């Protein structure tokens, strides 16, 4: 399947965050970004939801500009949807927002992203034997503990993002597959 057209990364503001902060909406958007355009019925089957629920939440995502019609697909009444951007980023100011609605929406969003990451990783661990040996040997499941201040964490994050983004336009070689990279950097209390 060809990769979807690459567009900008959407910076979440309080309004758009509240529009996205629903577990099914986040999963629908992720499915469109990872698997390409689809109908509400196809997404319902993929996610184990009713087509009524996926239709409603797709329209809500469209209202907030996260998804859009894909006019090149479908015929008759069949409506295809595609992601409007290739990614979503949390604006740092959202962490300081005192609005209970925004704080609640941010909490839902972050917990759902963590859940999705955990599901993707668990699926890999459970199915890795189905992949050729070179994929298994070259995958990575690492963790590191560093002593850094907030500015150093920011610097590390910027460098890691730059490195990962440098691979975004690399021509995939023979045997290429979509590769998910999860980054998590957070402080822990000293015990």
């Amino acid at each position: 399947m060809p990769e979807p057209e690459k567009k900008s990364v959407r910076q979440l503001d309080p309004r758009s965050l509240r529009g996205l902060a629903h577990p099914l909406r986040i999963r629908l958007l992720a499915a469109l970004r990872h698997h390409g355009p689809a109908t509400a019925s196809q997404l319902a089957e993929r996610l184990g939801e009713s087509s009524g629920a996926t239709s409603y939440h797709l329209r809500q995502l469209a209202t907030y500009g996260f998804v859009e019609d894909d006019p090149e697909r479908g015929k008759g009444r069949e409506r295809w949807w595609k992601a409007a951007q290739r990614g979503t980023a949390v604006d740092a100011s959202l962490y300081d927002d005192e609005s209970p609605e925004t704080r609640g929406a941010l909490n839902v969003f972050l917990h759902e992203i963590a859940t999705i990451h955990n599901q993707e990783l668990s699926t890999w661990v459970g199915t890795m034997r189905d992949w050729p040996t070179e994929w298994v040997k070259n995958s990575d499941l690492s963790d590191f503990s560093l002593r850094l201040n907030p500015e150093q964490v920011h610097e590390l994050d910027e460098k890691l993002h730059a490195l990962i983004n440098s691979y975004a336009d690399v021509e995939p070689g023979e045997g290429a597959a979509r590769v998910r990279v999860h980054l998590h950097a957070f402080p822990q209390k000293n015990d």
Side-chain angles (χ1 to χ4, degrees):
M1 166 190 304
E3 289 295 315
E5 180 183 327
K6 291 185 179 173
K7 297 181 183 174
S8 65
V9 172
R10 172 81 179 265
Q11 284 287 331
L12 294 175
D13 58 32
R15 180 184 179 278
S16 62
L17 173 63
R18 288 191 300 271
L20 179 59
H22 184 283
L24 182 52
R25 290 180 197 168
I26 295 167
R27 290 173 46 225
L28 286 165
L29 184 56
L32 290 171
R33 286 179 176 159
H34 295 177
H35 304 290
T39 66
S41 296
Q42 291 168 334
L43 290 164
E45 185 174 330
R46 176 182 291 279
L47 300 176
E49 298 286 341
S50 74
S51 60
T54 57
S55 290
Y56 170 78
H57 288 290
L58 284 164
R59 288 191 306 273
Q60 292 299 307
L61 287 168
T63 297
Y64 290 93
F66 290 103
V67 301
E68 58 194 19
D69 284 317
D70 188 352
E72 296 178 10
R73 299 179 190 268
K75 46 192 172 287
R77 295 181 47 134
E78 187 176 58
R79 187 174 189 182
W80 283 72
W81 297 93
K82 63 181 179 179
Q85 301 88 23
R86 67 179 171 88
T88 304
V90 175
D91 186 288
S93 67
L94 292 173
Y95 294 105
D96 297 325
D97 195 304
E98 293 297 324
S99 162
E101 294 84 11
T102 301
R103 292 177 75 103
L106 184 58
N107 194 38
V108 167
F109 177 78
L110 294 174
H111 278 277
E112 189 61 24
I113 296 302
T115 298
I116 290 169
H117 287 186
N118 185 52
Q119 289 169 342
E120 289 177 345
L121 184 57
S122 294
T123 298
W124 164 248
V125 170
T127 62
M128 62 194 289
R129 293 291 174 209
D130 298 339
W131 285 81
T133 303
E134 63 267 15
W135 276 109
V136 175
K137 290 194 300 189
N138 288 298
S139 66
D140 184 36
L141 183 59
S142 299
D143 65 275
F144 306 90
S145 291
L146 306 170
R147 291 194 56 81
L148 304 172
N149 64 37
E151 292 78 20
Q152 291 167 320
V153 172
H154 179 75
E155 179 184 346
L156 175 63
D157 189 53
E158 291 288 318
K159 287 179 178 179
L160 290 169
H161 281 243
L163 177 61
I164 292 166
N165 286 332
S166 74
Y167 284 85
D169 295 323
V170 170
E171 187 65 34
E174 186 176 323
R178 180 180 30 248
V179 174
R180 295 287 290 150
V181 178
H182 299 173
L183 295 177
H184 307 270
F186 51 87
Q188 290 184 314
K189 296 279 186 197
N190 293 334
D191 292 333

